[in-house]
Amino acid sequence: MSTRAAVIPGVDVFLRGGGASDGVRAAVAGLRHARLGLIAHPASVTSELQFSADAIRAAGYDLRALFGPQHGARGEKQDNMIESDHYTDPVTGLTVHSLYGEVRKPTPEMLRGLDAVLFDLQDVGVRVYTFVWTMALAMEACADAGVRFVVLDRPNPIGGVRREGPVLREEYRSFVGLHPVPLRHGLTCGEMARWLNVERAIGCDLTVIPCESWRRDMSWDDTGLPWVMPSPNLPTPDSCVVYPGMVLVEGTNMSEGRGTTRPFELFGAPWLDPVALVARLGLASLPGVAFRPCHFEPTFQKHAGALSGGAQLHVTDPGTFEPVRTAVEIIVAARRLARHDFAWLEPPYEYEETLPPIDILWGGPGLREGVETGATADGILEAVGGEVGDFAASVERYLLY
Protein backbone atom coordinates (compact mmCIF):
# COMPACT_ATOMS: atom_id res chain seq x y z
CA MET A 1 0.00 0.00 0.00
CA SER A 2 1.28 3.48 -0.88
CA THR A 3 2.52 5.77 1.85
CA ARG A 4 1.87 9.47 1.74
CA ALA A 5 4.67 11.41 0.04
CA ALA A 6 5.20 14.93 -1.24
CA VAL A 7 5.48 14.83 -5.03
CA ILE A 8 7.14 17.74 -6.81
CA PRO A 9 5.55 18.46 -10.19
CA GLY A 10 7.67 19.20 -13.24
CA VAL A 11 6.93 22.92 -13.19
CA ASP A 12 8.43 23.21 -9.70
CA VAL A 13 11.49 21.26 -10.83
CA PHE A 14 11.81 23.62 -13.80
CA LEU A 15 11.52 26.73 -11.63
CA ARG A 16 14.30 25.62 -9.31
CA GLY A 17 16.65 24.92 -12.22
CA GLY A 18 16.19 21.21 -12.81
CA GLY A 19 16.32 17.98 -10.87
CA ALA A 20 18.92 15.34 -10.12
CA SER A 21 19.66 14.63 -13.77
CA ASP A 22 22.52 16.54 -15.40
CA GLY A 23 20.58 16.44 -18.66
CA VAL A 24 17.50 18.03 -17.13
CA ARG A 25 19.56 20.74 -15.44
CA ALA A 26 21.31 21.52 -18.72
CA ALA A 27 17.99 21.62 -20.58
CA VAL A 28 16.53 24.06 -18.07
CA ALA A 29 19.65 26.23 -18.18
CA GLY A 30 19.34 26.37 -21.95
CA LEU A 31 15.88 27.93 -21.62
CA ARG A 32 16.97 30.80 -19.37
CA HIS A 33 17.16 33.27 -22.27
CA ALA A 34 14.77 31.49 -24.66
CA ARG A 35 11.54 32.97 -25.97
CA LEU A 36 8.85 30.72 -24.54
CA GLY A 37 5.25 29.75 -25.16
CA LEU A 38 3.19 27.86 -22.57
CA ILE A 39 0.28 25.46 -23.05
CA ALA A 40 -1.69 25.84 -19.83
CA HIS A 41 -5.07 25.47 -18.15
CA PRO A 42 -6.43 26.11 -14.62
CA ALA A 43 -4.64 23.07 -13.16
CA SER A 44 -1.29 24.39 -14.42
CA VAL A 45 -0.18 25.42 -10.98
CA THR A 46 2.87 24.96 -8.78
CA SER A 47 2.67 22.90 -5.60
CA GLU A 48 1.95 26.22 -3.86
CA LEU A 49 -1.02 26.85 -6.20
CA GLN A 50 0.58 29.66 -8.19
CA PHE A 51 -0.49 29.68 -11.85
CA SER A 52 2.44 28.39 -13.90
CA ALA A 53 2.46 31.35 -16.27
CA ASP A 54 2.77 33.76 -13.35
CA ALA A 55 5.46 31.67 -11.67
CA ILE A 56 7.49 31.34 -14.87
CA ARG A 57 7.37 35.08 -15.52
CA ALA A 58 8.20 35.88 -11.91
CA ALA A 59 11.27 33.64 -12.20
CA GLY A 60 12.57 35.86 -15.00
CA TYR A 61 11.81 33.71 -18.03
CA ASP A 62 10.81 35.37 -21.28
CA LEU A 63 7.23 34.10 -21.68
CA ARG A 64 5.79 35.44 -24.93
CA ALA A 65 2.48 33.58 -25.49
CA LEU A 66 -0.05 31.22 -23.94
CA PHE A 67 -1.93 28.39 -25.64
CA GLY A 68 -5.31 27.21 -24.36
CA PRO A 69 -6.57 23.60 -24.79
CA GLN A 70 -10.19 22.43 -24.47
CA HIS A 71 -12.04 24.54 -21.87
CA GLY A 72 -9.54 27.39 -22.31
CA ALA A 73 -6.30 28.52 -20.70
CA ARG A 74 -8.17 29.70 -17.61
CA GLY A 75 -11.04 27.19 -17.80
CA GLU A 76 -13.48 29.78 -19.00
CA LYS A 77 -15.54 27.30 -21.04
CA GLN A 78 -17.56 25.32 -18.54
CA ASP A 79 -19.40 22.88 -20.79
CA ASN A 80 -18.09 20.14 -23.04
CA MET A 81 -17.23 20.76 -26.72
CA ILE A 82 -17.47 24.56 -26.41
CA GLU A 83 -14.83 26.24 -28.52
CA SER A 84 -12.55 29.05 -27.39
CA ASP A 85 -11.47 32.14 -29.31
CA HIS A 86 -8.02 33.72 -29.36
CA TYR A 87 -7.82 36.56 -26.84
CA THR A 88 -5.54 38.63 -24.62
CA ASP A 89 -5.03 37.20 -21.16
CA PRO A 90 -6.43 39.71 -18.64
CA VAL A 91 -3.76 38.97 -16.03
CA THR A 92 -0.50 38.70 -17.98
CA GLY A 93 -1.46 40.69 -21.07
CA LEU A 94 -0.12 37.86 -23.23
CA THR A 95 -1.79 36.59 -26.38
CA VAL A 96 -3.71 33.36 -25.77
CA HIS A 97 -3.89 31.13 -28.83
CA SER A 98 -6.87 28.78 -28.77
CA LEU A 99 -6.11 25.14 -29.58
CA TYR A 100 -9.77 24.13 -29.31
CA GLY A 101 -11.63 26.12 -31.90
CA GLU A 102 -10.66 27.21 -35.38
CA VAL A 103 -7.52 25.06 -35.06
CA ARG A 104 -6.35 22.31 -32.71
CA LYS A 105 -2.72 22.35 -33.87
CA PRO A 106 -0.53 25.43 -33.43
CA THR A 107 -0.03 27.25 -36.71
CA PRO A 108 3.38 28.46 -37.93
CA GLU A 109 2.23 32.01 -37.17
CA MET A 110 1.51 31.09 -33.55
CA LEU A 111 5.00 29.62 -33.15
CA ARG A 112 6.83 32.40 -34.97
CA GLY A 113 9.35 34.11 -32.69
CA LEU A 114 9.36 31.27 -30.11
CA ASP A 115 12.38 29.15 -29.26
CA ALA A 116 10.48 26.60 -27.14
CA VAL A 117 6.96 25.64 -26.11
CA LEU A 118 6.37 24.45 -22.55
CA PHE A 119 3.53 22.00 -21.96
CA ASP A 120 2.04 21.99 -18.45
CA LEU A 121 -1.37 20.32 -18.51
CA GLN A 122 -2.75 18.00 -15.84
CA ASP A 123 -3.92 14.88 -17.68
CA VAL A 124 -6.10 12.13 -16.17
CA GLY A 125 -4.67 9.00 -17.80
CA VAL A 126 -7.51 8.31 -20.26
CA ARG A 127 -7.20 8.12 -24.04
CA VAL A 128 -10.32 10.16 -24.77
CA TYR A 129 -9.26 13.09 -22.60
CA THR A 130 -8.12 15.58 -25.23
CA PHE A 131 -5.07 17.10 -23.53
CA VAL A 132 -2.62 14.42 -24.67
CA TRP A 133 -3.78 14.97 -28.26
CA THR A 134 -3.31 18.71 -27.89
CA MET A 135 0.21 17.75 -26.80
CA ALA A 136 0.74 15.42 -29.77
CA LEU A 137 -0.40 18.02 -32.30
CA ALA A 138 1.75 20.70 -30.66
CA MET A 139 4.74 18.34 -30.83
CA GLU A 140 4.11 17.88 -34.56
CA ALA A 141 3.88 21.63 -35.09
CA CYS A 142 7.09 22.23 -33.14
CA ALA A 143 8.88 19.54 -35.13
CA ASP A 144 7.85 21.27 -38.36
CA ALA A 145 8.87 24.71 -37.07
CA GLY A 146 12.16 23.72 -35.43
CA VAL A 147 10.89 24.78 -31.99
CA ARG A 148 11.84 22.85 -28.84
CA PHE A 149 9.04 21.13 -26.95
CA VAL A 150 9.33 20.78 -23.17
CA VAL A 151 6.92 18.73 -21.07
CA LEU A 152 6.64 19.81 -17.44
CA ASP A 153 5.43 16.43 -16.21
CA ARG A 154 2.67 15.79 -13.68
CA PRO A 155 1.38 12.66 -11.91
CA ASN A 156 -1.23 10.44 -13.48
CA PRO A 157 -4.04 10.90 -10.92
CA ILE A 158 -5.35 7.35 -11.35
CA GLY A 159 -1.91 5.76 -11.10
CA GLY A 160 0.46 4.24 -13.58
CA VAL A 161 0.17 0.53 -12.83
CA ARG A 162 -3.07 -0.57 -14.46
CA ARG A 163 -4.15 -0.33 -18.08
CA GLU A 164 -7.64 -1.18 -19.33
CA GLY A 165 -9.82 -1.29 -22.38
CA PRO A 166 -9.24 -1.58 -26.11
CA VAL A 167 -6.43 0.01 -28.09
CA LEU A 168 -7.67 2.55 -30.64
CA ARG A 169 -7.93 1.30 -34.20
CA GLU A 170 -6.34 3.63 -36.75
CA GLU A 171 -9.54 3.97 -38.79
CA TYR A 172 -11.34 5.35 -35.70
CA ARG A 173 -8.94 8.21 -35.11
CA SER A 174 -10.43 11.49 -33.88
CA PHE A 175 -9.60 14.27 -31.48
CA VAL A 176 -10.47 11.88 -28.63
CA GLY A 177 -7.85 9.45 -29.93
CA LEU A 178 -5.14 10.14 -32.49
CA HIS A 179 -2.79 7.22 -31.84
CA PRO A 180 -3.21 3.52 -30.85
CA VAL A 181 -3.51 3.84 -27.08
CA PRO A 182 -5.73 1.89 -24.64
CA LEU A 183 -8.66 3.59 -22.96
CA ARG A 184 -6.79 3.70 -19.64
CA HIS A 185 -3.16 4.05 -20.68
CA GLY A 186 -1.25 4.27 -17.36
CA LEU A 187 1.22 6.93 -18.54
CA THR A 188 2.10 10.46 -17.55
CA CYS A 189 2.14 13.14 -20.25
CA GLY A 190 5.94 13.04 -20.25
CA GLU A 191 5.98 9.29 -20.84
CA MET A 192 3.33 9.58 -23.53
CA ALA A 193 5.38 12.31 -25.24
CA ARG A 194 8.50 10.11 -25.22
CA TRP A 195 6.55 7.20 -26.75
CA LEU A 196 4.83 9.37 -29.36
CA ASN A 197 8.05 11.07 -30.37
CA VAL A 198 9.80 7.82 -31.26
CA GLU A 199 7.21 5.10 -31.86
CA ARG A 200 4.83 7.41 -33.72
CA ALA A 201 7.69 9.21 -35.48
CA ILE A 202 6.86 12.78 -34.46
CA GLY A 203 10.56 13.51 -34.09
CA CYS A 204 10.48 16.87 -32.32
CA ASP A 205 13.29 18.29 -30.17
CA LEU A 206 11.78 16.94 -26.94
CA THR A 207 12.73 17.46 -23.32
CA VAL A 208 10.72 16.00 -20.43
CA ILE A 209 11.20 17.45 -16.97
CA PRO A 210 9.97 14.66 -14.68
CA CYS A 211 8.12 14.96 -11.40
CA GLU A 212 10.10 14.05 -8.32
CA SER A 213 9.05 11.34 -5.85
CA TRP A 214 6.08 10.08 -7.86
CA ARG A 215 5.54 6.33 -7.92
CA ARG A 216 3.28 4.43 -10.27
CA ASP A 217 1.21 2.93 -7.46
CA MET A 218 0.25 6.31 -5.97
CA SER A 219 -3.29 7.57 -5.74
CA TRP A 220 -3.78 11.32 -5.96
CA ASP A 221 -4.06 11.56 -2.17
CA ASP A 222 -0.66 9.88 -1.88
CA THR A 223 1.01 12.70 -3.82
CA GLY A 224 0.32 15.34 -1.18
CA LEU A 225 -0.56 17.79 -3.98
CA PRO A 226 -3.71 19.92 -3.96
CA TRP A 227 -6.32 18.93 -6.54
CA VAL A 228 -7.23 21.58 -9.10
CA MET A 229 -9.85 20.36 -11.54
CA PRO A 230 -8.34 20.12 -15.04
CA SER A 231 -11.78 20.46 -16.61
CA PRO A 232 -15.14 21.45 -15.15
CA ASN A 233 -16.62 17.96 -15.11
CA LEU A 234 -13.74 16.29 -13.29
CA PRO A 235 -14.10 18.23 -10.05
CA THR A 236 -12.51 15.69 -7.69
CA PRO A 237 -10.00 12.83 -7.74
CA ASP A 238 -13.01 10.52 -7.23
CA SER A 239 -14.46 11.61 -10.56
CA CYS A 240 -11.13 10.78 -12.23
CA VAL A 241 -11.18 7.25 -10.80
CA VAL A 242 -14.50 6.42 -12.51
CA TYR A 243 -13.89 8.44 -15.68
CA PRO A 244 -11.95 5.80 -17.72
CA GLY A 245 -15.14 3.78 -18.00
CA MET A 246 -17.97 6.19 -17.37
CA VAL A 247 -16.87 8.45 -20.22
CA LEU A 248 -18.33 5.72 -22.46
CA VAL A 249 -21.81 6.73 -21.28
CA GLU A 250 -21.27 9.93 -23.30
CA GLY A 251 -21.77 7.77 -26.40
CA THR A 252 -25.31 6.82 -25.33
CA ASN A 253 -28.54 8.70 -24.66
CA MET A 254 -28.05 8.20 -20.92
CA SER A 255 -26.84 11.11 -18.83
CA GLU A 256 -23.29 10.67 -17.56
CA GLY A 257 -24.05 13.11 -14.76
CA ARG A 258 -23.06 16.33 -16.52
CA GLY A 259 -25.17 19.09 -15.08
CA THR A 260 -24.95 17.60 -11.58
CA THR A 261 -22.38 18.02 -8.83
CA ARG A 262 -21.13 14.42 -9.31
CA PRO A 263 -20.42 14.03 -13.04
CA PHE A 264 -19.43 10.51 -14.13
CA GLU A 265 -20.40 9.16 -10.70
CA LEU A 266 -24.11 9.68 -11.36
CA PHE A 267 -25.70 8.16 -14.45
CA GLY A 268 -29.20 7.49 -15.67
CA ALA A 269 -32.15 8.52 -17.83
CA PRO A 270 -35.86 9.33 -17.42
CA TRP A 271 -36.74 5.87 -18.75
CA LEU A 272 -34.57 3.83 -16.35
CA ASP A 273 -35.84 2.12 -13.18
CA PRO A 274 -33.12 2.67 -10.55
CA VAL A 275 -34.03 -0.34 -8.43
CA ALA A 276 -34.14 -2.75 -11.37
CA LEU A 277 -30.90 -1.31 -12.72
CA VAL A 278 -28.99 -1.74 -9.47
CA ALA A 279 -30.39 -5.23 -9.00
CA ARG A 280 -29.14 -6.25 -12.44
CA LEU A 281 -25.73 -4.69 -11.84
CA GLY A 282 -25.50 -6.60 -8.57
CA LEU A 283 -25.55 -9.85 -10.55
CA ALA A 284 -22.27 -8.84 -12.20
CA SER A 285 -20.37 -8.98 -8.89
CA LEU A 286 -18.16 -6.07 -9.92
CA PRO A 287 -15.11 -5.61 -7.67
CA GLY A 288 -14.43 -2.45 -5.67
CA VAL A 289 -17.71 -0.66 -6.35
CA ALA A 290 -21.21 -0.37 -4.94
CA PHE A 291 -24.26 1.17 -6.61
CA ARG A 292 -26.88 3.33 -4.93
CA PRO A 293 -30.20 3.63 -6.77
CA CYS A 294 -31.19 7.27 -7.07
CA HIS A 295 -32.94 10.00 -9.04
CA PHE A 296 -31.35 13.24 -10.21
CA GLU A 297 -32.18 16.18 -12.47
CA PRO A 298 -29.37 17.49 -14.70
CA THR A 299 -29.26 21.27 -15.07
CA PHE A 300 -27.69 21.09 -18.53
CA GLN A 301 -26.77 18.68 -21.33
CA LYS A 302 -28.68 15.39 -21.66
CA HIS A 303 -32.12 15.29 -19.99
CA ALA A 304 -31.69 18.80 -18.60
CA GLY A 305 -34.56 19.59 -16.26
CA ALA A 306 -35.97 16.05 -16.46
CA LEU A 307 -36.07 13.67 -13.51
CA SER A 308 -33.76 10.77 -14.34
CA GLY A 309 -33.57 7.38 -12.69
CA GLY A 310 -30.23 5.73 -12.33
CA ALA A 311 -27.50 5.17 -9.80
CA GLN A 312 -24.40 6.61 -8.19
CA LEU A 313 -21.13 4.70 -8.22
CA HIS A 314 -19.41 4.45 -4.85
CA VAL A 315 -15.87 3.14 -5.28
CA THR A 316 -15.15 1.04 -2.21
CA ASP A 317 -11.69 -0.21 -3.24
CA PRO A 318 -9.82 1.73 -5.94
CA GLY A 319 -7.20 -1.02 -6.05
CA THR A 320 -9.62 -3.63 -7.37
CA PHE A 321 -12.16 -1.36 -9.10
CA GLU A 322 -12.29 -1.85 -12.87
CA PRO A 323 -13.86 1.29 -14.36
CA VAL A 324 -13.99 0.06 -17.95
CA ARG A 325 -15.59 -3.28 -17.07
CA THR A 326 -18.03 -1.47 -14.80
CA ALA A 327 -19.14 0.91 -17.55
CA VAL A 328 -19.58 -1.89 -20.06
CA GLU A 329 -21.79 -3.74 -17.56
CA ILE A 330 -23.82 -0.54 -17.04
CA ILE A 331 -24.40 -0.07 -20.78
CA VAL A 332 -25.30 -3.74 -21.26
CA ALA A 333 -27.73 -3.57 -18.33
CA ALA A 334 -29.37 -0.33 -19.48
CA ARG A 335 -30.05 -1.65 -22.97
CA ARG A 336 -31.50 -4.92 -21.69
CA LEU A 337 -33.77 -3.12 -19.23
CA ALA A 338 -34.96 -0.48 -21.70
CA ARG A 339 -34.36 -1.89 -25.17
CA HIS A 340 -36.80 0.48 -26.88
CA ASP A 341 -35.58 3.62 -25.12
CA PHE A 342 -31.82 3.09 -25.00
CA ALA A 343 -29.97 4.51 -28.00
CA TRP A 344 -26.49 5.45 -29.15
CA LEU A 345 -25.67 9.14 -29.42
CA GLU A 346 -25.55 10.36 -33.02
CA PRO A 347 -22.64 12.35 -34.48
CA PRO A 348 -21.24 14.97 -34.64
CA TYR A 349 -19.00 14.52 -31.63
CA GLU A 350 -15.58 16.11 -31.00
CA TYR A 351 -15.13 17.22 -34.63
CA GLU A 352 -16.09 13.78 -35.98
CA GLU A 353 -19.08 14.08 -38.35
CA THR A 354 -19.62 10.47 -39.46
CA LEU A 355 -18.51 7.78 -37.00
CA PRO A 356 -20.79 7.01 -34.03
CA PRO A 357 -19.51 8.70 -30.87
CA ILE A 358 -19.47 5.38 -29.01
CA ASP A 359 -17.13 3.92 -31.65
CA ILE A 360 -14.53 6.68 -31.38
CA LEU A 361 -14.76 6.54 -27.58
CA TRP A 362 -14.29 2.76 -27.51
CA GLY A 363 -11.73 2.91 -30.32
CA GLY A 364 -13.67 0.69 -32.71
CA PRO A 365 -17.15 -0.80 -33.24
CA GLY A 366 -16.76 -3.71 -30.83
CA LEU A 367 -18.71 -2.32 -27.88
CA ARG A 368 -21.64 -1.11 -29.97
CA GLU A 369 -21.83 -4.27 -32.03
CA GLY A 370 -21.48 -6.48 -28.96
CA VAL A 371 -24.27 -4.73 -27.09
CA GLU A 372 -26.56 -4.82 -30.13
CA THR A 373 -26.04 -8.56 -30.65
CA GLY A 374 -26.64 -9.40 -26.99
CA ALA A 375 -23.05 -10.15 -26.01
CA THR A 376 -22.13 -10.14 -22.33
CA ALA A 377 -19.70 -7.65 -20.88
CA ASP A 378 -17.19 -10.47 -20.46
CA GLY A 379 -17.51 -11.36 -24.12
CA ILE A 380 -17.02 -7.75 -25.23
CA LEU A 381 -13.94 -7.34 -23.06
CA GLU A 382 -12.42 -10.70 -23.96
CA ALA A 383 -12.41 -9.62 -27.61
CA VAL A 384 -9.86 -6.87 -26.78
CA GLY A 385 -8.11 -8.60 -23.89
CA GLY A 386 -4.68 -8.98 -25.49
CA GLU A 387 -4.34 -5.43 -26.73
CA VAL A 388 -3.25 -3.85 -23.45
CA GLY A 389 -0.31 -6.23 -23.09
CA ASP A 390 1.04 -5.33 -26.51
CA PHE A 391 0.81 -1.63 -25.69
CA ALA A 392 2.51 -2.14 -22.32
CA ALA A 393 5.44 -3.81 -24.04
CA SER A 394 5.77 -0.97 -26.54
CA VAL A 395 5.91 1.76 -23.87
CA GLU A 396 8.19 0.02 -21.38
CA ARG A 397 11.39 1.71 -22.55
CA TYR A 398 9.82 5.17 -22.30
CA LEU A 399 8.70 4.96 -18.68
CA LEU A 400 10.23 7.53 -16.33
CA TYR A 401 8.98 6.27 -12.96
Side-chain angles (χ1 to χ4, degrees):
M1 183 174 181
S2 300
T3 57
R4 192 170 182 84
V7 171
I8 302 171
V11 64
D12 290 49
V13 177
F14 171 78
L15 290 168
R16 74 179 193 201
S21 163
D22 291 341
V24 171
R25 288 197 300 273
V28 173
L31 296 170
R32 173 48 69 182
H33 301 293
R35 298 165 296 178
L36 305 176
L38 173 66
I39 302 174
H41 63 176
S44 304
V45 296
T46 69
S47 56
E48 299 298 322
L49 292 175
Q50 185 179 17
F51 188 47
S52 294
D54 298 332
I56 289 167
R57 295 180 80 208
Y61 287 93
D62 185 8
L63 187 60
R64 298 285 184 96
L66 299 177
F67 297 81
Q70 186 175 17
H71 303 292
R74 292 193 180 270
E76 62 271 11
K77 302 300 183 184
Q78 291 298 301
D79 205 352
N80 198 32
M81 289 180 276
I82 303 296
E83 295 184 337
S84 299
D85 294 324
H86 311 297
Y87 66 97
T88 299
D89 181 59
V91 178
T92 63
L94 297 173
T95 296
V96 180
H97 301 293
S98 172
L99 298 181
Y100 192 80
E102 182 182 354
V103 299
R104 287 164 296 288
K105 181 177 182 176
T107 65
E109 291 75 19
M110 293 176 184
L111 297 175
R112 187 167 293 126
L114 298 181
D115 300 309
V117 170
L118 309 180
F119 177 91
D120 186 29
L121 299 185
Q122 177 62 63
D123 187 49
V124 298
V126 182
R127 185 223 302 141
V128 300
Y129 206 57
T130 60
F131 296 152
V132 291
W133 308 126
T134 294
M135 179 181 73
L137 292 174
M139 289 170 65
E140 291 177 7
C142 286
D144 292 340
V147 173
R148 292 179 64 187
F149 193 81
V150 181
V151 178
L152 308 179
D153 211 9
R154 291 182 174 273
N156 185 328
I158 58 174
V161 174
R162 299 182 63 183
R163 300 184 174 93
E164 299 178 61
V167 170
L168 173 75
R169 293 190 190 180
E170 293 280 358
E171 62 268 33
Y172 288 87
R173 291 179 41 157
S174 72
F175 194 53
V176 291
L178 290 175
H179 293 274
V181 170
L183 199 50
R184 179 180 183 176
H185 55 68
L187 303 179
T188 67
C189 283
E191 293 171 332
M192 180 71 79
R194 283 159 53 88
W195 178 78
L196 289 168
N197 208 41
V198 177
E199 299 297 329
R200 305 300 293 171
I202 292 178
C204 70
D205 181 359
L206 174 66
T207 298
V208 176
I209 299 180
C211 311
E212 290 186 358
S213 302
W214 187 68
R215 299 193 313 274
R216 309 198 77 81
D217 63 346
M218 282 182 167
S219 69
W220 186 263
D221 286 345
D222 293 329
T223 69
L225 293 169
W227 177 253
V228 179
M229 54 187 183
S231 57
N233 287 292
L234 290 179
T236 68
D238 289 344
S239 51
C240 294
V241 170
V242 302
Y243 180 73
M246 294 306 291
V247 68
L248 296 169
V249 178
E250 283 190 16
T252 76
N253 64 343
M254 288 190 289
S255 167
E256 65 277 6
R258 292 182 186 273
T260 76
T261 58
R262 305 302 289 192
F264 300 107
E265 295 174 67
L266 289 169
F267 66 95
W271 34 264
L272 272 176
D273 178 341
V275 174
L277 175 66
V278 170
R280 180 173 282 273
L281 289 171
L283 299 176
S285 301
L286 290 161
V289 66
F291 298 93
R292 177 181 63 87
C294 66
H295 289 85
F296 60 95
E297 186 176 295
T299 59
F300 58 83
Q301 282 231 4
K302 297 178 197 167
H303 310 305
L307 186 65
S308 294
Q312 180 176 356
L313 282 76
H314 295 267
V315 177
T316 56
D317 182 1
T320 60
F321 174 57
E322 298 176 76
V324 176
R325 176 176 295 277
T326 298
V328 173
E329 290 282 10
I330 286 169
I331 291 171
V332 167
R335 187 176 188 275
R336 290 183 180 175
L337 287 170
R339 180 177 299 272
H340 300 296
D341 294 304
F342 176 90
W344 305 110
L345 192 70
E346 295 291 329
Y349 178 84
E350 288 289 2
Y351 301 102
E352 168 56 48
E353 302 288 337
T354 305
L355 294 171
I358 193 63
D359 288 8
I360 63 173
L361 287 166
W362 185 249
L367 174 58
R368 175 177 52 83
E369 292 174 351
V371 170
E372 289 176 353
T373 57
T376 64
D378 282 343
I380 292 167
L381 291 164
E382 284 169 6
V384 296
E387 298 176 4
V388 166
D390 293 339
F391 177 79
S394 78
V395 299
E396 182 66 30
R397 62 183 286 210
Y398 304 104
L399 300 184
L400 292 166
Y401 312 95

